[in-house]
Amino acid sequence: MRMCDAHCHFFSSRFLELLTVGVAGFPDTNRAAAVSHRLGWQDPGSAAELADRWVTELDRHSVARAAIIASIPGDEDSVATAVRRHASRFVGFFMFNPAAGDVAGRLSRALGEHGLRGICLFPAMHGYRLDDERVKDVFTAAADHGAVVFVHCGVLTVGVRKKLGLSSPFDLRFGDPLALAAVAVRFPAVPVIVPHFGAGMLREALMAVEQCATMHLDTSSSNAWMKYYPGLTLEQVFRQALDIAGPERILFGTDSSFFPRGWQQAIHAAQDAALHAIGAAEEHRQKIFGGNFDRLFPV
Ligand SMILES: [Zn+2]
């Protein structure tokens, strides 16, 4: 079965440098290597080297294509380098903060010159409402450039920040799928992706999906948010998502990020098992594991 992963993080050297700006204890030279060492990760090296490592990893697991996310504002160049190098394998996403100003100019560079295709919003991290005017500007730019808008709703924890002891004063109230839907319905040409089935806001995410035809759910990560719903299983999550979103609006993802861990095979195995357990049709599984991704991101 053709597999495309809609949610991987491209943890480049530049990402590690930007993440630790102002953090004491790391040298100014070879900073990314020092941060990697502290984390027990493989040094990412150059963006080109990391891109090649990713392709080898995708090949090893028979993953045809992957969305790779520049996971801090300012790291668009790294993902753009990877996408240029392996255009048939990668779709470039990037974390974007609309509250930082010049929304149109910055998005024009990222989506135009850099050829990236997914704008990733983390409202709980950057502190703005999803029905804010600046978010409408993001959707306008996405419509102009044929991009998708990815919005992290619900609970937000960033593993690497925790490991490095960085403070993460996120305001989870901003990650509201219903506020997102209120904007998204006005931009019927812009596909929207809500990762991790809404990351704890499953009910609201499903309401948003039902209201708004452009809204997609990604299945990525261990979905540890299920702990907020006593007794909920991944099988039930998939069944409900299939009932309400339908097989066209569910995108398989893993949330893979660093090496040497690499691509998270176990996440795929768990999701595949859940879909088999509920008797999902092969045609539906094909859409979830690859077809929908190819439809949203034609090569
Ligand atoms: Zn992620």
Side-chain angles (χ1 to χ4, degrees):
M1 184 176 291
R2 180 175 167 85
M3 251 200 300
C4 301
D5 188 333
H7 191 139
C8 295
H9 292 271
F10 196 73
F11 282 174
S12 67
S13 288
R14 183 82 182 126
F15 165 78
L16 294 175
E17 287 165 11
L18 289 170
L19 189 69
T20 55
V21 166
V23 178
F26 295 112
D28 287 333
T29 53
N30 291 328
R31 189 178 183 86
V35 178
S36 303
H37 183 76
R38 169 87 63 90
L39 292 163
W41 294 0
Q42 192 173 345
D43 181 357
S46 69
E49 285 166 341
L50 183 60
D52 292 355
R53 191 175 305 147
W54 261 109
V55 167
T56 302
E57 181 73 354
L58 297 181
D59 286 344
R60 199 159 75 82
H61 293 286
S62 304
V63 180
R65 303 173 71 202
I68 51 172
I69 306 172
S71 303
I72 196 164
D75 193 30
E76 296 83 0
D77 284 9
S78 303
V79 162
T81 297
V83 169
R84 269 194 288 272
R85 205 170 163 88
H86 300 286
S88 67
R89 308 301 295 280
F90 294 139
V91 172
F93 285 18
F94 57 104
M95 184 189 279
F96 183 76
N97 177 8
D102 187 24
V103 169
R106 288 187 296 135
L107 287 179
S108 165
R109 269 190 299 283
L111 302 171
E113 290 149 49
H114 282 329
L116 304 183
R117 298 163 83 175
I119 307 163
C120 300
L121 304 182
F122 289 75
M125 182 183 291
H126 295 129
Y128 56 87
R129 288 177 57 95
L130 283 165
D131 51 5
D132 188 295
E133 280 305 316
R134 296 166 294 187
V135 176
K136 288 175 195 149
D137 295 341
V138 169
F139 273 81
T140 300
D144 290 346
H145 289 91
V148 311
V149 179
F150 165 114
V151 184
H152 189 107
C153 297
V155 69
L156 175 63
T157 55
V158 182
V160 63
R161 299 187 66 91
K162 260 192 185 160
K163 277 191 211 161
L164 290 171
L166 305 180
S167 85
S168 302
F170 303 153
D171 188 336
L172 302 186
R173 292 173 299 176
F174 289 124
D176 178 1
L178 297 179
L180 172 62
V183 176
V185 287
R186 296 165 56 177
F187 295 88
V190 179
V192 179
I193 300 172
V194 173
H196 324 303
F197 298 101
M201 302 188 84
L202 176 64
R203 187 187 65 155
E204 290 79 2
L206 291 172
M207 289 162 71
V209 155
E210 195 162 56
Q211 186 201 7
C212 181
T214 54
M215 200 86 83
H216 298 66
L217 301 173
D218 102 19
T219 66
S220 70
S221 85
S222 59
N223 288 302
W225 57 264
M226 290 192 298
K227 69 186 172 194
Y228 304 122
Y229 297 75
L232 185 66
T233 64
L234 194 57
E235 286 81 0
Q236 290 168 331
V237 173
F238 268 109
R239 188 180 287 124
Q240 232 183 328
L242 274 166
D243 280 352
I244 295 169
E248 274 87 27
R249 292 199 279 151
I250 303 173
L251 294 159
F252 160 67
T254 59
D255 212 1
S256 300
S257 53
F258 62 88
F259 288 89
R261 186 179 70 176
W263 193 70
Q264 293 196 264
Q265 165 78 49
I267 302 270
H268 171 264
Q271 295 185 14
D272 196 39
L275 282 163
H276 274 102
I278 62 169
E282 179 170 359
E283 178 203 344
H284 293 173
R285 286 187 285 117
Q286 277 171 354
K287 287 179 177 169
I288 292 168
F289 282 114
N292 295 333
F293 185 92
D294 286 329
R295 188 194 76 234
L296 286 182
F297 306 105
V299 180

